[in-house]
Amino acid sequence: MTRTAIIAGSGTLPRLLAEALNHPVYVTLDGAGAPEGIDHVTARIEKLGKLFKELKSHDVGAVVFAGAMARPKVNPVKLDRHAFRLARKLGKGDDALLREVLALFEDQGFLIRAATEIRPDLLLAPDTLWGRKPSREDLEDAARAHEVLEALSPLDVGQGAVCAGGQMLGIETVQGTDAMLSFVGATPERLRRAKGVFVKAPKRGQDLRIDMPTIGIETVEKVIAAGIGGIVVPAGGVIVLEQERVKARVKEAGLFLKAQ
């Protein structure tokens, strides 16, 4: 039986995939835990060759990457030849680094599976709308934020942006979505023309097998705290976790979440 290994980062997504897979192998870095009753492999980024051997010994033929992962800190003295190849990309942008990660696993004969192949229900259908109906100004702000993200795609900057009253309040960079939303929330009222809209979307050409944008209830709470009026994501392009909780909270807070 060919098995799938979950290369697990933080958050709930790895465990959701483990529940959906038949006899998965759960891989964590530097000793993090795993769900009870699932075969568990711990790995170090410096010893990828050892990880490849362990996965093959467990009859793993495919891998899926799930959850947030920070750029690894590596000990250059301990790098094996596979990890050395990856370390050369650490100074590059996220897209280049992730492409190298995929290439390393594919070169070892592993099939790369997308999280949404295993759990397609985590994506939103076109024209999904939760909460209030967005105004024309909301839709114009969403279009402006998306236009900015499209323009920045070749520069490998980020996946999120906030536009309010036609002006940009925040663009996600290496600090991540939460930091951007906190920054927007700290913007003085005198500089804000409207509540604004948060847009989360993949970069053009991004490999969604390993880097599918994700939002969940924590994202919604940070949007609320930042005083933003709504959220727009591309249908089929962003994972939405805990959807019933997200839907209820969006309605309760008087926001909207639209997939288009």
Side-chain angles (χ1 to χ4, degrees):
M1 177 186 65
T2 299
R3 306 169 72 186
T4 296
I6 302 166
I7 312 299
S10 61
T12 61
L13 182 57
R15 293 172 185 265
L16 291 174
L17 298 184
E19 293 170 1
L21 287 166
N22 187 26
H23 301 300
V25 175
Y26 204 89
V27 179
T28 57
L29 299 175
D30 299 326
E36 187 175 350
I38 294 178
D39 285 348
H40 180 207
V41 170
T42 59
R44 291 192 60 84
I45 196 68
E46 296 93 344
K47 301 297 180 184
L48 290 177
K50 180 182 177 183
L51 172 60
F52 296 149
K53 289 179 181 178
E54 286 198 66
L55 293 182
K56 290 173 183 177
S57 74
H58 283 81
D59 297 320
V60 169
V63 296
V64 56
F65 294 84
M69 297 182 189
R71 280 179 173 257
K73 295 180 180 180
V74 299
N75 183 339
V77 176
K78 297 182 178 181
L79 294 175
D80 66 15
R81 63 184 178 88
H82 303 286
F84 179 75
R85 174 179 160 185
L86 182 61
R88 290 184 301 173
K89 297 290 186 179
L90 288 177
K92 304 294 184 180
D94 286 346
D95 288 349
L97 178 61
L98 294 176
R99 281 195 296 269
E100 189 64 34
V101 171
L102 294 183
L104 279 167
F105 278 84
E106 288 177 323
D107 287 351
Q108 291 296 312
F110 296 107
L111 173 70
I112 307 297
R113 301 183 68 184
T116 52
E117 172 197 339
I118 298 165
R119 288 291 305 266
D121 57 307
L122 298 177
L123 299 172
L124 299 185
D127 298 321
T128 296
L129 176 61
W130 298 339
R132 68 176 177 87
K133 182 179 179 179
S135 67
R136 184 178 69 178
E137 183 179 50
D138 289 327
L139 297 178
E140 289 173 350
D141 281 341
R144 171 67 171 156
H146 191 267
E147 180 183 23
V148 168
L149 290 176
E150 275 286 300
L152 291 174
S153 278
L155 302 179
D156 191 11
V157 174
Q159 303 172 336
V162 176
C163 182
Q167 67 181 4
M168 298 305 300
L169 296 187
I171 298 169
E172 180 185 339
T173 53
V174 68
Q175 292 87 352
T177 298
D178 291 353
M180 181 198 66
L181 293 174
S182 295
F183 176 79
V184 170
T187 303
E189 285 297 322
R190 61 185 173 80
L191 297 179
R192 299 180 68 156
R193 301 172 182 168
K195 284 183 172 294
V197 177
F198 167 51
V199 173
K200 184 80 169 179
K203 291 166 281 188
R204 189 171 357 113
Q206 184 174 326
D207 196 321
L208 300 183
R209 295 176 298 170
I210 191 172
D211 195 22
M212 174 75 77
T214 301
I215 64 171
I217 191 66
E218 292 181 4
T219 311
V220 172
E221 293 295 350
K222 286 179 168 52
V223 166
I224 294 168
I228 298 168
I231 303 168
V232 172
V233 299
V238 171
I239 290 172
V240 181
L241 301 171
E242 300 181 274
Q243 292 184 11
E244 290 305 313
R245 286 186 67 195
V246 167
K247 183 177 181 179
R249 187 68 177 111
V250 164
K251 289 182 176 181
E252 179 185 45
L255 307 181
F256 71 88
L257 190 157
K258 181 176 176 59
Q260 59 185 24

